[in-house]
Amino acid sequence: MANHKSAAKRARQTIKRTEANRFYRTRLKNITKAVRQAAANGDKTAAQEALKVANKNIHAFVSRGFLKKQTASRLVSRLALLVNKIA
């Protein structure tokens, strides 16, 4: 347990941030999975719609400080390549 006021505050903040980050990590996995699943099924329109949602959410995570800009860009780029490969 924390021995100082400031250490106790840091412990409380860590708990809050861990919960928030868990939400963002799960959300990120789910939205990328939706794009990959639609692409695997060969459904181009569904994949494009899922990609729009993924693009918006991933860049929102950047503005919230969960992801770095380049990481988000790489994720979106790879998902877009996957969707564009669908015949």
Side-chain angles (χ1 to χ4, degrees):
M1 194 58 210
N3 291 323
H4 297 281
K5 254 181 132 172
S6 59
K9 181 176 179 179
R10 292 303 296 167
R12 287 193 310 270
Q13 288 174 335
T14 300
I15 291 167
K16 279 185 182 177
R17 287 200 182 102
T18 302
E19 281 299 313
N21 287 338
R22 181 178 295 135
F23 167 78
Y24 291 129
R25 261 196 316 271
T26 305
R27 183 82 178 116
L28 182 64
K29 282 192 282 186
N30 288 340
I31 59 179
T32 55
K33 188 168 140 186
V35 176
R36 292 180 194 282
Q37 216 165 24
N41 292 339
D43 190 358
K44 189 160 184 144
T45 56
Q48 286 173 337
E49 289 302 314
L51 180 62
K52 280 183 191 177
V53 172
N55 189 15
K56 183 180 176 186
N57 281 295
I58 289 170
H59 284 94
F61 294 165
V62 171
S63 66
R64 292 187 184 116
F66 175 68
L67 286 175
K68 288 186 177 179
K69 192 175 180 182
Q70 187 60 40
T71 304
S73 179
R74 185 177 63 246
L75 279 170
V76 171
S77 176
R78 287 177 181 172
L79 290 174
L81 282 171
L82 192 65
V83 170
N84 290 336
K85 281 184 184 177
I86 301 171

